[in-house]
PDB file of all heavy atoms in Angstrom:
ATOM      1  N   VAL A  22     127.590  49.120  -8.127  1.00 82.00           N
ATOM      2  CA  VAL A  22     127.103  47.765  -7.928  1.00 82.00           C
ATOM      3  C   VAL A  22     128.289  46.807  -7.898  1.00 82.00           C
ATOM      4  O   VAL A  22     129.199  46.901  -8.710  1.00 82.00           O
ATOM      5  CB  VAL A  22     126.125  47.378  -9.065  1.00 82.00           C
ATOM      6  CG1 VAL A  22     125.702  45.933  -8.945  1.00 82.00           C
ATOM      7  CG2 VAL A  22     124.926  48.293  -9.060  1.00 82.00           C
ATOM      8  N   TYR A  23     128.240  45.884  -6.956  1.00 87.00           N
ATOM      9  CA  TYR A  23     129.304  44.895  -6.824  1.00 87.00           C
ATOM     10  C   TYR A  23     128.789  43.509  -7.171  1.00 87.00           C
ATOM     11  O   TYR A  23     127.625  43.196  -6.943  1.00 87.00           O
ATOM     12  CB  TYR A  23     129.851  44.879  -5.394  1.00 87.00           C
ATOM     13  CG  TYR A  23     130.700  46.080  -5.067  1.00 87.00           C
ATOM     14  CD1 TYR A  23     130.125  47.250  -4.597  1.00 87.00           C
ATOM     15  CD2 TYR A  23     132.068  46.039  -5.247  1.00 87.00           C
ATOM     16  CE1 TYR A  23     130.898  48.356  -4.302  1.00 87.00           C
ATOM     17  CE2 TYR A  23     132.855  47.134  -4.966  1.00 87.00           C
ATOM     18  CZ  TYR A  23     132.257  48.292  -4.490  1.00 87.00           C
ATOM     19  OH  TYR A  23     133.035  49.382  -4.219  1.00 87.00           O
ATOM     20  N   VAL A  24     129.680  42.699  -7.703  1.00 88.00           N
ATOM     21  CA  VAL A  24     129.384  41.291  -7.946  1.00 88.00           C
ATOM     22  C   VAL A  24     130.130  40.506  -6.879  1.00 88.00           C
ATOM     23  O   VAL A  24     131.359  40.502  -6.837  1.00 88.00           O
ATOM     24  CB  VAL A  24     129.823  40.863  -9.361  1.00 88.00           C
ATOM     25  CG1 VAL A  24     129.517  39.392  -9.574  1.00 88.00           C
ATOM     26  CG2 VAL A  24     129.157  41.722 -10.418  1.00 88.00           C
ATOM     27  N   ASP A  25     129.366  39.889  -5.989  1.00 89.00           N
ATOM     28  CA  ASP A  25     129.930  39.086  -4.906  1.00 89.00           C
ATOM     29  C   ASP A  25     130.001  37.645  -5.407  1.00 89.00           C
ATOM     30  O   ASP A  25     129.000  37.093  -5.852  1.00 89.00           O
ATOM     31  CB  ASP A  25     129.027  39.192  -3.681  1.00 89.00           C
ATOM     32  CG  ASP A  25     129.659  38.653  -2.432  1.00 89.00           C
ATOM     33  OD1 ASP A  25     130.886  38.465  -2.418  1.00 89.00           O
ATOM     34  OD2 ASP A  25     128.924  38.415  -1.458  1.00 89.00           O
ATOM     35  N   MET A  26     131.186  37.054  -5.364  1.00 91.00           N
ATOM     36  CA  MET A  26     131.345  35.737  -5.990  1.00 91.00           C
ATOM     37  C   MET A  26     132.192  34.784  -5.161  1.00 91.00           C
ATOM     38  O   MET A  26     133.016  35.202  -4.350  1.00 91.00           O
ATOM     39  CB  MET A  26     131.957  35.893  -7.375  1.00 91.00           C
ATOM     40  CG  MET A  26     133.336  36.512  -7.392  1.00 91.00           C
ATOM     41  SD  MET A  26     133.920  36.903  -9.050  1.00 91.00           S
ATOM     42  CE  MET A  26     133.147  38.471  -9.332  1.00 91.00           C
ATOM     43  N   ASN A  27     131.934  33.511  -5.396  1.00 92.00           N
ATOM     44  CA  ASN A  27     132.755  32.432  -4.857  1.00 92.00           C
ATOM     45  C   ASN A  27     133.667  31.953  -5.972  1.00 92.00           C
ATOM     46  O   ASN A  27     133.205  31.698  -7.077  1.00 92.00           O
ATOM     47  CB  ASN A  27     131.890  31.271  -4.374  1.00 92.00           C
ATOM     48  CG  ASN A  27     131.037  31.647  -3.197  1.00 92.00           C
ATOM     49  OD1 ASN A  27     131.482  32.347  -2.305  1.00 92.00           O
ATOM     50  ND2 ASN A  27     129.798  31.201  -3.197  1.00 92.00           N
ATOM     51  N   ILE A  28     134.939  31.815  -5.654  1.00 93.00           N
ATOM     52  CA  ILE A  28     135.933  31.447  -6.664  1.00 93.00           C
ATOM     53  C   ILE A  28     136.642  30.171  -6.218  1.00 93.00           C
ATOM     54  O   ILE A  28     136.962  30.005  -5.044  1.00 93.00           O
ATOM     55  CB  ILE A  28     136.964  32.579  -6.850  1.00 93.00           C
ATOM     56  CG1 ILE A  28     136.251  33.836  -7.337  1.00 93.00           C
ATOM     57  CG2 ILE A  28     138.070  32.167  -7.803  1.00 93.00           C
ATOM     58  CD1 ILE A  28     137.103  35.070  -7.328  1.00 93.00           C
ATOM     59  N   GLN A  29     136.869  29.286  -7.179  1.00 93.00           N
ATOM     60  CA  GLN A  29     137.661  28.090  -6.934  1.00 93.00           C
ATOM     61  C   GLN A  29     138.750  28.019  -7.989  1.00 93.00           C
ATOM     62  O   GLN A  29     138.461  28.123  -9.181  1.00 93.00           O
ATOM     63  CB  GLN A  29     136.806  26.840  -7.026  1.00 93.00           C
ATOM     64  CG  GLN A  29     135.767  26.728  -5.941  1.00 93.00           C
ATOM     65  CD  GLN A  29     134.972  25.448  -6.079  1.00 93.00           C
ATOM     66  OE1 GLN A  29     134.618  25.049  -7.171  1.00 93.00           O
ATOM     67  NE2 GLN A  29     134.701  24.809  -4.951  1.00 93.00           N
ATOM     68  N   ASN A  30     139.977  27.854  -7.558  1.00 92.00           N
ATOM     69  CA  ASN A  30     141.108  27.690  -8.470  1.00 92.00           C
ATOM     70  C   ASN A  30     141.779  26.358  -8.192  1.00 92.00           C
ATOM     71  O   ASN A  30     141.988  25.986  -7.035  1.00 92.00           O
ATOM     72  CB  ASN A  30     142.138  28.810  -8.287  1.00 92.00           C
ATOM     73  CG  ASN A  30     141.629  30.140  -8.781  1.00 92.00           C
ATOM     74  OD1 ASN A  30     140.613  30.215  -9.452  1.00 92.00           O
ATOM     75  ND2 ASN A  30     142.322  31.198  -8.440  1.00 92.00           N
ATOM     76  N   LYS A  31     142.128  25.674  -9.260  1.00 90.00           N
ATOM     77  CA  LYS A  31     142.743  24.354  -9.114  1.00 90.00           C
ATOM     78  C   LYS A  31     143.840  24.198 -10.171  1.00 90.00           C
ATOM     79  O   LYS A  31     143.592  23.679 -11.255  1.00 90.00           O
ATOM     80  CB  LYS A  31     141.671  23.278  -9.276  1.00 90.00           C
ATOM     81  CG  LYS A  31     142.121  21.894  -8.926  1.00 90.00           C
ATOM     82  CD  LYS A  31     140.939  20.939  -9.007  1.00 90.00           C
ATOM     83  CE  LYS A  31     141.336  19.537  -8.645  1.00 90.00           C
ATOM     84  NZ  LYS A  31     140.202  18.615  -8.761  1.00 90.00           N
ATOM     85  N   PRO A  32     145.071  24.642  -9.873  1.00 87.00           N
ATOM     86  CA  PRO A  32     146.161  24.431 -10.835  1.00 87.00           C
ATOM     87  C   PRO A  32     146.654  22.989 -10.792  1.00 87.00           C
ATOM     88  O   PRO A  32     146.469  22.287  -9.808  1.00 87.00           O
ATOM     89  CB  PRO A  32     147.251  25.387 -10.352  1.00 87.00           C
ATOM     90  CG  PRO A  32     146.950  25.641  -8.918  1.00 87.00           C
ATOM     91  CD  PRO A  32     145.477  25.413  -8.715  1.00 87.00           C
ATOM     92  N   THR A  33     147.264  22.575 -11.888  1.00 84.00           N
ATOM     93  CA  THR A  33     147.878  21.257 -11.928  1.00 84.00           C
ATOM     94  C   THR A  33     149.144  21.286 -11.076  1.00 84.00           C
ATOM     95  O   THR A  33     149.986  22.163 -11.254  1.00 84.00           O
ATOM     96  CB  THR A  33     148.220  20.883 -13.377  1.00 84.00           C
ATOM     97  OG1 THR A  33     147.007  20.854 -14.123  1.00 84.00           O
ATOM     98  CG2 THR A  33     148.889  19.530 -13.451  1.00 84.00           C
ATOM     99  N   PRO A  34     149.295  20.369 -10.138  1.00 82.00           N
ATOM    100  CA  PRO A  34     150.480  20.373  -9.284  1.00 82.00           C
ATOM    101  C   PRO A  34     151.764  20.261 -10.100  1.00 82.00           C
ATOM    102  O   PRO A  34     151.856  19.487 -11.051  1.00 82.00           O
ATOM    103  CB  PRO A  34     150.301  19.136  -8.401  1.00 82.00           C
ATOM    104  CG  PRO A  34     148.844  18.826  -8.448  1.00 82.00           C
ATOM    105  CD  PRO A  34     148.375  19.289  -9.801  1.00 82.00           C
ATOM    106  N   GLY A  35     152.742  21.061  -9.734  1.00 78.00           N
ATOM    107  CA  GLY A  35     154.058  20.979 -10.353  1.00 78.00           C
ATOM    108  C   GLY A  35     154.249  21.827 -11.596  1.00 78.00           C
ATOM    109  O   GLY A  35     155.376  21.977 -12.071  1.00 78.00           O
TER     110      GLY A  35
END
Side-chain angles (χ1 to χ4, degrees):
V22 175
Y23 287 87
V24 179
D25 192 16
M26 62 189 83
N27 294 320
I28 298 170
Q29 293 181 319
N30 290 348
K31 190 175 181 182
T33 299

